[in-house]
Amino acid sequence: MDVWKWEAEGQPKAVVVVIHNAYEHHSRHAWLIQRLRSSGFHVVTGDLPGHGMESVRSVHDEKFTLYNEFVKKLLTIGLNDSLPMFVIGHGLGATLMIRMLQQEKIECAGFISSSPWLGLKHQPAKLSAMLTKLSATKKLNHEITIEMLTRSYETYIESRQDRKYTPMVTATWYRELQAYMKTVMQHEGTIQNIPVLLHVAGNDKITDTTYAKKWLVNQGLTEFQFKEWKRLYHDLYLEPEREEVYLYTEAFMDNVLRSLGYIV
């Protein structure tokens, strides 16, 4: 469970913790990391347990408690610089952060939730047959292809050499994923009252975005933004319009920093 930290180019104004999606790894967000650094943000990120180099040799069967522990580790490192800390969580990474905010008070200046996994529209093709079998170690292919995640031809080319992306899971893992999303959606109470930007893809092939909208409305936050990117696919920060998505995100963080009395 390695963690990486990149220093901002020039005077830092805040720290951003990036939590990636299921099946992928932090390197897929190299552009976002560099864009944040060039805008004056330190960046802390890493590969979720079982992901990155670990995923080359295995099927995902990690316990979600390990994911939670890893997110805590990222947040602890993010707070070390005594700067305002933002969190960008994408896909399952966003869901993990939501659960963290439900359970604990965190010194977080703001949370950017990108395409959270709160209700999936794309299920494994052989789901019902697999989940009724006795063997919990039966393998499932979630069959989420790169072409379903983004319209970026550049990403298609890069992914051909990417052995670290794998949507293979066990039936046990998938059951736990479903239970985890249900727990987040049915949680009584709200998260701590921090600024939240929730943005979703208008052409998301993976998640049902109505769950994300419902979750946000139910939080009763005093400061929040919701943005649906009409034509975009699930991986907002990898889309051809990623610069526009980034500038929207940065404007949100800069506004929060101004409200906290920081000069940006």
Side-chain angles (χ1 to χ4, degrees):
M1 296 193 296
D2 292 329
V3 175
W4 291 269
K5 179 182 176 183
W6 288 269
E7 300 286 334
E9 296 178 1
Q11 185 68 27
K13 55 186 176 181
V15 179
V16 178
V17 172
V18 178
I19 311 171
H20 69 74
N21 198 3
Y23 313 145
E24 60 169 6
H25 47 89
H26 81 281
S27 301
R28 289 189 79 235
H29 300 283
W31 179 88
L32 174 62
I33 292 167
Q34 182 54 39
R35 194 67 181 81
L36 287 163
R37 293 182 62 217
S38 65
S39 299
F41 297 98
H42 291 330
V43 180
V44 174
T45 189
D47 295 330
L48 290 171
H51 291 66
M53 288 306 299
E54 293 181 35
S55 67
V56 174
R57 302 178 301 277
S58 64
V59 174
H60 291 297
D61 192 27
E62 307 87 37
K63 296 296 183 183
F64 277 61
T65 51
L66 289 178
Y67 295 157
N68 294 335
E69 290 171 8
F70 184 67
V71 170
K72 285 184 180 180
K73 182 178 179 180
L74 290 177
L75 297 175
T76 299
I77 294 172
L79 290 169
N80 282 344
D81 286 299
S82 299
L83 289 167
M85 181 183 71
F86 294 90
V87 176
I88 297 178
H90 175 58
L92 179 61
T95 312
L96 294 171
M97 185 59 188
I98 290 172
R99 186 60 181 148
M100 190 68 62
L101 290 168
Q102 288 176 342
Q103 295 177 305
E104 299 184 19
K105 294 291 184 182
I106 299 167
E107 294 180 47
C108 184
F111 173 40
I112 298 94
S113 177
S114 165
S115 305
W117 282 22
L118 297 175
L120 298 182
K121 68 167 67 168
H122 178 77
Q123 307 283 358
K126 300 177 181 179
L127 175 64
S128 58
M130 286 292 193
L131 295 187
T132 55
K133 290 183 180 294
L134 294 177
S135 176
T137 59
K138 270 290 186 181
K139 296 178 182 179
L140 280 172
N141 187 346
H142 201 164
E143 298 177 346
I144 296 179
T145 65
I146 300 300
E147 289 78 9
M148 296 174 67
L149 294 171
T150 175
R151 295 145 48 237
S152 167
Y153 182 73
E154 176 186 339
T155 304
Y156 297 162
I157 299 302
E158 292 175 355
S159 68
R160 291 175 184 173
Q161 307 298 325
D162 189 359
R163 295 173 57 241
K164 294 182 288 185
Y165 177 87
T166 173
M168 294 297 297
V169 302
T170 64
T172 297
W173 187 94
Y174 200 80
R175 286 194 193 102
E176 189 166 1
L177 169 66
Q178 295 287 341
Y180 196 89
M181 293 188 297
K182 185 176 181 180
T183 297
V184 170
M185 286 300 297
Q186 295 183 352
H187 176 76
E188 294 184 4
T190 60
I191 65 169
Q192 64 194 80
N193 191 14
I194 60 172
V196 170
L197 166 59
L198 170 62
H199 48 194
V200 298
N203 202 0
D204 196 321
K205 310 293 185 185
I206 312 303
T207 67
D208 183 342
T209 60
T210 59
Y211 285 85
K213 296 175 188 177
K214 180 180 179 181
W215 172 82
L216 182 63
V217 169
N218 288 341
Q219 299 314 300
L221 301 170
T222 56
E223 184 177 350
F224 66 90
Q225 292 176 227
F226 175 81
K227 173 67 174 177
E228 180 176 309
W229 298 91
K230 295 297 182 184
R231 302 179 307 280
L232 275 59
Y233 282 17
H234 188 74
D235 282 359
L236 297 173
Y237 293 105
L238 291 176
E239 283 287 73
E241 299 85 355
R242 63 188 182 183
E243 178 68 16
E244 185 180 350
V245 176
Y246 173 78
L247 291 175
Y248 197 95
T249 302
E250 185 181 5
F252 168 79
M253 293 191 290
D254 283 348
N255 285 333
V256 171
L257 290 172
R258 289 189 193 97
S259 71
L260 293 174
Y262 286 81
I263 300 174
V264 297

